[in-house]
Amino acid sequence: MATATIRNHVTNLSRSLGLVFVLLAVLIGFSIAAPSFATADNLFAVLHAMGPSTIAAAGMALVILTGKIDISIGSTAFLSASIGALLMERGTSPLVAFPLILALGAVLGAMNGFLVAYLRINALIATLGTMMAYRGMGLMLTDARVIPLPESMRDIANLTVGPVFLETIVVILLVIAIHVLHRSTSFGRTLTAVGNGEDIAAKVGLNTKRTVFVTFTLAGLLAAAAACSSYVQVGSVSGFLGKGLEFNAIAISVVGGISLAGGRGRIIPGVLIGAAAFQMISNGLNQVNADPYIYQLVTGAVIFVAMYMDALKTRPSQ
């Protein structure tokens, strides 16, 4: 028993350190290839740019930890942001519209949670349906046009505390809160138990349905928060907002050590390292003027390696 425990600790430590080494290798490699990559301004810009995907990945990680998946978060982000943008276009105060965007995201996530937890529809099928429905509703409401951020909010994306963007600080605090929720609360412990075996968790008296429902609701809320971050950074809502966000979030979670089998992984450092790795790769390839299509190839390779590592970790001992 003691040997097995030590082996597990060593495995987890090796995986975490492995991710750190990969991040350092990316940093050093691009710093050599493009001297401007390692400048303080560029690294702070990387932190700023990874905000939306980091928030979305934190929500996705919670869902994956239950052994489920939510491929509708990009559409959730788009629909909630579209409604908020339309309201602001008609004169609604941003102080009202932005909280409403978050509330709408939570409602859309709760719909997913109801379908999966209480109607017992497969999570992939349920969220595939809502992914198409939510984006279709958003495109219909906006006529697929670009809706700009109100003038009064234009400067918010450039607010800084010293050299750090204010939005970056908010994102980090939000991810810390999600990490604490997962690691230090009864909800988080139940969530992990569900991921390790939903039927067993139900048999020992845990409210698995409520846990899954709340998890999807949180994922919707965080998707809407990611939409707010993207809205502020880009300065507008368009039909491309949230496009592919769900797959970026899954990739970040997997690379960050969140097992697709459920029940294993940590929001910190996992999600932060995963998001930083992908954003640094994207930024670095841009710095060296690489073919824009090579990013997809590199991303696929990184995901493959992460999945292979996860398969080795979960493979039964011989």
Side-chain angles (χ1 to χ4, degrees), residues 259-290:
S259 174
L260 287 175
R264 291 183 300 278
R266 300 167 68 98
I267 306 298
I268 296 177
V271 167
L272 291 179
I273 290 178
F278 280 112
Q279 193 59 48
M280 286 172 64
I281 290 171
S282 176
N283 182 277
L285 290 174
N286 185 59
Q287 292 273 345
V288 298
N289 296 315

Side-chain angles (χ1 to χ4, degrees), residues 68-95:
K68 306 290 191 297
I69 200 161
D70 183 353
I71 61 171
S72 73
I73 63 170
S75 298
T76 297
F78 173 58
L79 177 55
S80 55
S82 295
I83 293 174
L86 287 170
L87 289 173
M88 280 186 276
E89 188 179 50
R90 288 164 172 73
T92 301
S93 168
L95 295 177

Side-chain angles (χ1 to χ4, degrees), residues 71-239:
I71 61 171
S72 73
I73 63 170
S75 298
T76 297
F78 173 58
L79 177 55
S80 55
S82 295
I83 293 174
L86 287 170
L87 289 173
M88 280 186 276
E89 188 179 50
R90 288 164 172 73
T92 301
S93 168
L95 295 177
V96 175
F98 276 94
L100 183 58
I101 291 173
L102 299 178
L104 285 168
V107 170
L108 297 174
M111 177 62 72
N112 290 332
F114 177 75
L115 294 173
V116 174
Y118 294 101
L119 296 188
R120 309 297 293 177
I121 299 174
N122 178 276
L124 179 62
I125 300 302
T127 58
L128 175 63
T130 55
M131 176 183 75
M132 293 186 289
Y134 292 168
R135 185 160 293 277
M137 290 171 63
L139 291 171
M140 182 178 66
L141 289 171
T142 62
D143 291 325
R145 62 190 177 87
V146 176
I147 304 174
L149 189 70
E151 288 287 347
S152 60
M153 299 290 290
R154 292 291 174 85
D155 294 330
I156 193 170
N158 298 318
L159 293 177
T160 60
V161 178
V164 184
F165 286 95
L166 176 61
E167 183 192 1
T168 300
I169 296 173
V170 173
V171 169
I172 291 173
L173 291 175
L174 184 57
V175 173
I176 290 173
I178 298 301
H179 174 77
V180 171
L181 176 69
H182 173 227
R183 303 295 297 183
S184 303
T185 67
S186 59
F187 171 78
R189 289 187 287 273
T190 302
L191 184 151
T192 300
V194 170
N196 283 313
E198 188 171 353
D199 292 338
I200 296 173
K203 287 179 181 178
V204 298
L206 298 178
N207 194 331
T208 58
K209 290 183 178 180
R210 183 180 65 188
T211 300
V212 171
F213 176 80
V214 172
T215 301
F216 274 93
T217 302
L218 287 173
L221 173 65
L222 291 170
C228 291
S229 177
S230 179
Y231 186 16
V232 169
Q233 285 189 16
V234 176
S236 64
V237 169
S238 72

Side-chain angles (χ1 to χ4, degrees), residues 12-34:
N12 291 334
L13 181 62
S14 299
R15 183 171 176 79
S16 296
L17 291 178
L19 291 170
V20 173
F21 288 142
V22 168
L23 200 60
L24 288 175
V26 170
L27 177 61
I28 294 170
F30 282 123
S31 297
I32 295 172

